[in-house]
């Protein structure tokens, strides 16, 4: 039900912007709009995840370097 309401709201917004009453065109434009929103969201999440992964990898690498340096000094 919520999904249908979301799509309906998108179609109404597209109708206001384009002055189109053809429901097929409205549905296609709304679908493209929704797909674009989710594509951008997915891209942002993937980029954020990659950044977090790299930060963690650098942190672990630094920690490993510290441990190895301590072992060199001790041994």
């Amino acid at each position: 039900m919520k999904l249908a309401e979301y799509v309906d709201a998108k179609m109404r917004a597209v109708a206001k912007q384009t002055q189109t009453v053809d429901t097929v065109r409205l549905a296609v434009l709304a679908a493209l709009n929704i797909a674009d929103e989710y594509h951008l969201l997915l891209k942002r999440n993937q980029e954020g995840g990659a950044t977090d992964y790299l930060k963690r990898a650098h942190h672990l690498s630094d920690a490993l370097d510290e441990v190895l340096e301590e072992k060199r000094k001790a041994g």
Side-chain angles (χ1 to χ4, degrees):
M1 187 69 155
K2 287 186 178 188
L3 181 58
E5 290 172 357
Y6 181 75
V7 172
D8 183 61
K10 286 293 179 182
M11 288 181 69
R12 289 179 192 276
V14 169
K16 283 182 182 178
Q17 291 176 354
T18 62
Q19 303 298 317
T20 301
V21 291
D22 181 2
T23 56
V24 174
R25 287 179 190 236
L26 288 175
V28 170
L29 290 171
L32 288 171
N33 190 334
I34 292 168
D36 184 53
E37 286 178 0
Y38 282 98
H39 178 258
L40 291 174
L41 180 65
L42 179 63
K43 192 174 179 180
R44 259 188 252 126
N45 285 343
Q46 286 177 342
E47 288 170 356
T51 302
D52 292 342
Y53 171 77
L54 289 174
K55 285 180 184 176
R56 180 142 172 82
H58 286 296
H59 176 72
L60 291 172
S61 177
D62 291 344
L64 181 59
D65 287 343
E66 287 178 26
V67 169
L68 292 175
E69 185 63 29
E70 288 175 8
K71 286 196 176 212
R72 282 188 205 126
K73 288 179 182 178

